[in-house]
Amino acid sequence: MQPLKLTLALDMMGGDHGPRSTIPAALAAIDEFPELHLILCGDEAILTEQLKMHGISSHEQFSLKHCSQTVSMTDKPAYALRNKRDSSMRAAIDLVDSGAVQACVSAGNTGALIAIAHYVLKMLGGIERPALISTIPSIEGDPVYMLDLGATVNCDADTLFQFAVMGSVMAEEVIGIKQPRIALLNMGEEEIKGSDQIKRASMLLAQCNEINYVGYIEGNDIFSRKADVIVCDGFVGNVALKTCEGVAKLILRRFETSIKEQLSAQLLGWLLKPFIKNLSQAVNPDHYNGASLIGLRGIVVKSHGNATKDAFLSAIRQAVHEVERQVPAKIKHRLEHVLIDKA
Amino acid sequence: MQPLKLTLALDMMGGDHGPRSTIPAALAAIDEFPELHLILCGDEAILTEQLKMHGISSHEQFSLKHCSQTVSMTDKPAYALRNKRDSSMRAAIDLVDSGAVQACVSAGNTGALIAIAHYVLKMLGGIERPALISTIPSIEGDPVYMLDLGATVNCDADTLFQFAVMGSVMAEEVIGIKQPRIALLNMGEEEIKGSDQIKRASMLLAQCNEINYVGYIEGNDIFSRKADVIVCDGFVGNVALKTCEGVAKLILRRFETSIKEQLSAQLLGWLLKPFIKNLSQAVNPDHYNGASLIGLRGIVVKSHGNATKDAFLSAIRQAVHEVERQVPAKIKHRLEHVLIDKA
């Protein structure tokens, strides 16, 4: 059953701030999108209380779905999947599965979200594993998509190929790039470098007319916009970008402490601090806002755990946008084309 | 046959500058170490000509070994291995193998060096794969060892375990850290995260009394000195650190160009530039100087391709130090202890 209008489920209890961030974000979202209907999943008493603080008892654009449990930030994925069946996270995903809503948004535990969404929603036909995709900053300022950022640890060549197809669709549909340039992250640009999976994925991509594959990219070029979509396995993507946060902190600390005698260096450290802090958040996958879990038969958007009202609102906007662009259907459609092309 | 005194073989033709860097470095090294003997491998005519420019025709501390070939920076490893048997790189490694010298140093093509050294020298008993190890900068300023940086693309749990043993020996013997703290690079600090290889390697390390294993470390902490030795497979290590160079360039570029209207930002970019340039070189494995290829039955030190006289001299110093500390013998000895401990 397809809902008649734009309907999203929100996990109201996820994230460090829970309803204190998610309620104001939900209220801002229904103001911004008059056609939007929200199903707010969470503890009804707490949600009602928070809504009352905003002077609202009910609204035609939202309804409450009571859930007795919350997935905590420390719950292990398998535990959350087995034992948190009445959680706000599970409820939001179940609503996507039943077709009652077109997408869900959660700021909760990433591992649990991936496990539950994978289990409940299942994979799109032709896709074997889910991927977490997000934009990363670039030198020219235009966003670059990178996937996978931690949903799938080990990827074979076919999985990397499927990620490339999904990334291509996301860049076309969500950012509007025509024939996005797809690159595989590797140790070197030469064809002989890298693991067997990567070499085989490269061969598959080079043979595929539906993908604008531009070859390998090295870590030092991922922010340089030599490609619009960078594909790697979840382990490499997660570790590489977290390491960037490490080096950003290293740069800052060097200026703050090592050269204390030099006032100019300290001044530099002071000027750099807010910039590095923003950058650290922009590169660390744990802090991404609006990362999408793709490859599933439904739209799941991840807001970061420390999401404020504005961050959660921006994740809701992204979910709306993906619903409007019908991302899962487009991925499925593209994949069918690619498979015909390959056959 | 063990040589009577400290003898090294130098690949004089490797690197972007060849003998223009390696000759002055060799001359400085024999000045610095009166007990050192060097076998200079390369084109005899070119080397003689370069030595003449320094006013030297012969010296009791060095001898020349003529080689008719040079491994170029673009030669593929397999090609260099098969077709460059009379190269200066191969000669230097062959001299280690025959026992005529105790170590060799090259600024040449890294892939070819690994392939030839692996083929000629063979692995130490108990070690399955070679690793490239180097120090990386840290926030407190003390060096941290990281391995592997690109020698072995796919590592199983046993290989990661062996890398941990080798890294532990290097940190103890070369930097002099007692009971160095060993960490595995992973996606998260929780035990359930990561690939099966990493989880198994973690179990093996936790059970081993000979290793001071401190658990998982995430990318954002590798420069924070939470561990003295960071272990990962060659693909992850290489990509993660190259990505750091990318983010360092991103930081610089943002200040140089994005905010052109602000003089203070431009000034900041100008002040940052030399620092970022140094850091980029310090984190990108392609630019490391004095990285050691370990796990082999002989000492091979890699100087970076763009090595100046000082950089090549510093790589020679490191080779001398590893010979004095008998690194391969210590690795072998430690490994035997560990295996007894495991049995």
Side-chain angles (χ1 to χ4, degrees):
Chain A
M1 175 201 86
Q2 277 295 309
L4 292 175
K5 51 183 184 172
L6 184 56
T7 310
L8 305 183
L10 306 183
D11 167 10
M12 301 303 284
M13 310 305 281
D16 299 338
H17 310 302
R20 277 173 295 137
S21 287
T22 56
I23 287 280
L27 296 175
I30 56 179
D31 254 7
E32 190 173 323
F33 301 99
E35 75 285 15
L36 179 65
H37 186 85
L38 296 174
I39 301 182
L40 312 181
C41 306
D43 185 297
E44 195 163 1
I46 295 173
L47 296 181
T48 308
E49 169 83 20
Q50 281 284 333
L51 283 165
K52 206 183 284 171
M53 286 168 64
H54 288 86
I56 289 173
S57 61
S58 71
H59 193 291
E60 53 171 15
Q61 278 182 264
F62 69 73
S63 49
L64 298 186
K65 161 127 190 76
H66 176 69
C67 310
S68 65
Q69 292 178 304
T70 299
V71 173
S72 82
M73 294 310 255
T74 54
D75 280 343
K76 294 188 178 175
Y79 178 85
L81 182 58
R82 269 197 308 269
N83 302 303
K84 297 282 176 90
R85 294 187 201 186
D86 194 33
S87 64
S88 51
M89 182 186 281
R90 177 67 176 257
I93 294 169
D94 282 341
L95 286 166
V96 176
D97 182 50
S98 72
V101 302
Q102 292 139 310
C104 70
V105 180
S106 174
N109 181 330
T110 311
L113 186 70
I114 294 169
I116 297 173
H118 188 185
Y119 174 80
V120 172
L121 296 177
K122 308 284 187 304
M123 304 309 300
L124 276 172
I127 303 281
E128 281 156 70
R129 302 284 313 162
L132 203 58
I133 186 169
S134 183
T135 53
I136 57 171
S138 83
I139 286 177
E140 281 77 17
D142 302 307
V144 169
Y145 264 120
M146 187 156 162
L147 77 164
D148 171 36
L149 300 171
T152 299
V153 172
N154 291 315
C155 296
D156 62 14
D158 291 320
T159 303
L160 290 171
F161 176 82
Q162 291 154 15
F163 286 0
V165 174
M166 296 199 291
S168 187
V169 171
M170 285 291 284
E172 271 188 61
E173 298 298 333
V174 181
I175 320 187
I177 301 171
K178 293 260 171 252
Q179 295 198 294
R181 294 161 304 163
I182 314 294
L184 281 171
L185 186 59
N186 199 352
M187 290 172 59
E189 288 176 19
E190 305 87 352
E191 270 176 42
I192 49 149
K193 294 247 169 124
S195 63
D196 293 339
Q197 304 89 283
I198 287 189
K199 285 183 220 167
R200 235 199 98 224
S202 180
M203 215 179 59
L204 292 174
L205 286 166
Q207 289 166 352
C208 177
N209 297 323
E210 298 269 325
I211 299 288
N212 180 15
Y213 176 59
V214 296
Y216 294 139
I217 195 167
E218 288 190 83
N220 43 343
D221 275 331
I222 70 170
F223 303 104
S224 68
R225 224 172 178 299
K226 288 191 176 175
D228 302 302
V229 179
I230 295 163
V231 177
C232 58
D233 73 46
F235 190 87
V236 169
N238 194 285
V239 168
L241 292 178
K242 280 187 184 165
T243 306
C244 286
E245 187 188 348
V247 88
K249 283 192 289 188
L250 173 68
I251 291 171
L252 183 61
R253 197 63 76 84
R254 280 284 166 91
F255 280 101
E256 282 186 332
T257 61
S258 298
I259 354 180
K260 274 225 166 125
E261 62 277 16
Q262 285 180 269
L263 190 66
S264 63
Q266 279 191 286
L267 183 68
L268 201 57
W270 183 76
L271 288 166
L272 270 174
K273 197 165 190 170
F275 175 78
I276 298 271
K277 208 180 151 198
N278 281 342
L279 184 82
S280 298
Q281 294 228 332
V283 292
N284 187 333
D286 286 352
H287 299 147
Y288 283 159
N289 192 55
S292 301
L293 186 63
I294 57 173
L296 304 173
R297 295 188 303 100
I299 296 169
V300 178
V301 173
K302 172 73 177 77
S303 186
H304 70 72
N306 195 22
T308 56
K309 171 202 157 189
D310 287 343
F312 200 73
L313 176 59
S314 132
I316 296 173
R317 278 193 202 114
Q318 177 159 338
V320 168
H321 196 61
E322 288 186 30
V323 170
E324 286 172 346
R325 306 299 306 175
Q326 299 181 286
V327 167
K330 295 253 170 70
I331 289 177
K332 190 160 175 279
H333 180 250
R334 175 69 70 90
L335 210 70
E336 281 159 6
H337 262 255
V338 166
L339 295 176
I340 291 165
D341 185 56
K342 272 172 88 178
Chain B
M1 178 200 84
Q2 275 295 309
L4 293 173
K5 52 183 184 175
L6 184 56
T7 308
L8 305 184
L10 306 184
D11 167 11
M12 300 303 283
M13 311 305 282
D16 299 338
H17 309 303
R20 276 173 296 137
S21 288
T22 56
I23 287 280
L27 295 175
I30 58 180
D31 254 8
E32 189 172 324
F33 302 100
E35 76 286 13
L36 180 65
H37 186 85
L38 295 175
I39 301 183
L40 312 182
C41 306
D43 184 297
E44 197 163 0
I46 295 173
L47 296 181
T48 308
E49 170 83 19
Q50 281 284 332
L51 283 165
K52 207 181 286 170
M53 286 168 63
H54 289 84
I56 289 172
S57 60
S58 70
H59 192 291
E60 53 171 15
Q61 277 183 265
F62 70 72
S63 49
L64 298 186
K65 161 125 190 78
H66 176 67
C67 309
S68 65
Q69 291 178 306
T70 299
V71 173
S72 82
M73 296 308 256
T74 54
D75 279 343
K76 293 188 179 176
Y79 177 85
L81 182 58
R82 267 196 309 269
N83 302 303
K84 297 280 176 92
R85 293 185 202 188
D86 195 33
S87 63
S88 51
M89 183 186 281
R90 177 64 176 260
I93 294 168
D94 281 342
L95 287 166
V96 177
D97 182 49
S98 72
V101 303
Q102 293 140 312
C104 70
V105 181
S106 174
N109 181 327
T110 311
L113 187 72
I114 294 168
I116 297 174
H118 187 186
Y119 175 79
V120 171
L121 296 176
K122 308 285 187 306
M123 303 310 301
L124 278 172
I127 304 281
E128 282 156 71
R129 302 283 314 161
L132 201 60
I133 184 168
S134 183
T135 53
I136 57 172
S138 83
I139 285 177
E140 280 79 15
D142 301 307
V144 169
Y145 265 121
M146 186 156 161
L147 78 166
D148 172 37
L149 301 170
T152 299
V153 172
N154 291 314
C155 296
D156 62 15
D158 291 319
T159 302
L160 290 170
F161 176 81
Q162 292 154 15
F163 286 0
V165 174
M166 297 200 289
S168 188
V169 171
M170 286 289 284
E172 270 188 62
E173 296 299 333
V174 181
I175 321 189
I177 302 170
K178 294 256 171 257
Q179 297 197 293
R181 295 161 302 162
I182 314 293
L184 281 171
L185 186 59
N186 200 352
M187 291 172 58
E189 289 177 20
E190 305 87 352
E191 270 175 42
I192 49 150
K193 291 249 172 125
S195 62
D196 293 338
Q197 304 90 281
I198 287 189
K199 285 183 221 168
R200 234 198 99 225
S202 179
M203 216 179 60
L204 292 173
L205 286 166
Q207 288 165 353
C208 176
N209 297 323
E210 297 269 326
I211 299 288
N212 181 14
Y213 176 60
V214 295
Y216 296 138
I217 194 166
E218 289 189 83
N220 43 340
D221 275 331
I222 70 171
F223 304 104
S224 69
R225 225 170 177 302
K226 287 192 176 175
D228 301 303
V229 179
I230 295 162
V231 177
C232 58
D233 73 46
F235 190 88
V236 168
N238 193 284
V239 168
L241 291 179
K242 281 189 184 164
T243 307
C244 286
E245 187 190 345
V247 87
K249 285 193 289 187
L250 173 69
I251 291 171
L252 184 60
R253 197 63 78 82
R254 279 284 167 90
F255 280 100
E256 282 186 333
T257 61
S258 297
I259 353 178
K260 274 227 164 121
E261 61 278 13
Q262 284 182 271
L263 189 67
S264 63
Q266 278 189 287
L267 183 70
L268 200 58
W270 183 76
L271 288 167
L272 270 174
K273 195 166 191 171
F275 175 79
I276 298 270
K277 208 181 150 197
N278 282 342
L279 183 83
S280 297
Q281 294 228 333
V283 293
N284 186 334
D286 285 352
H287 300 147
Y288 283 157
N289 193 54
S292 301
L293 187 63
I294 58 173
L296 304 173
R297 296 187 303 100
I299 297 170
V300 178
V301 173
K302 171 75 179 75
S303 186
H304 68 74
N306 194 23
T308 56
K309 172 203 155 187
D310 287 343
F312 200 71
L313 176 59
S314 132
I316 296 173
R317 277 193 203 112
Q318 177 159 339
V320 168
H321 196 61
E322 289 186 31
V323 171
E324 286 172 347
R325 306 300 304 174
Q326 301 182 287
V327 167
K330 297 252 169 70
I331 288 176
K332 191 162 173 277
H333 180 251
R334 175 69 71 88
L335 210 70
E336 281 160 5
H337 263 255
V338 166
L339 295 175
I340 291 165
D341 185 57
K342 271 172 87 179

